[in-house]
Amino acid sequence: MSEEKRRAPRLYRRIILRAAAFGEEPPRWSFVTIHNLSSTGVLFTYDKPVYEGMLLHFKIDFPDRVIQCMGRIVR
């Protein structure tokens, strides 16, 4: 049996996420679907070119609130 090496448990649920490149004025939000989400990151597919180190603004729509945050592309 392989040992779990992840730092945080993943939530595997479809959640709508809006992403926009940091520094775009006005931001051009794209809707993406999250593959999984944890306290240390989010895995999603984005329809725009990205590069490692790029900063993105995120808005995650939960049923009772919208969470806004910023993230960095790590791979």
Side-chain angles (χ1 to χ4, degrees):
M1 189 182 304
S2 66
E3 178 183 335
E4 177 64 49
K5 295 182 180 179
R6 294 181 173 176
R7 294 182 294 163
R10 302 296 192 267
L11 172 64
Y12 294 94
R13 204 170 97 193
R14 287 196 183 262
I15 300 169
I16 300 300
L17 176 138
R18 290 174 278 169
F22 181 78
E24 282 185 343
E25 290 299 331
R28 291 179 292 177
W29 297 101
S30 293
F31 288 94
V32 297
T33 301
I34 293 173
H35 298 282
N36 69 58
L37 175 70
S38 76
S39 63
T40 60
V42 60
L43 175 64
F44 63 95
T45 306
Y46 194 39
D47 64 351
K48 296 183 179 178
V50 295
Y51 55 88
E52 191 172 317
M54 181 178 184
L55 294 175
L56 295 174
H57 287 291
F58 296 105
K59 291 183 181 182
I60 304 171
D61 296 314
F62 288 100
D64 59 341
R65 72 187 72 143
V66 175
I67 297 175
Q68 296 186 51
C69 51
M70 187 171 20
R72 180 180 311 276
I73 301 293
V74 296
R75 60 176 174 213

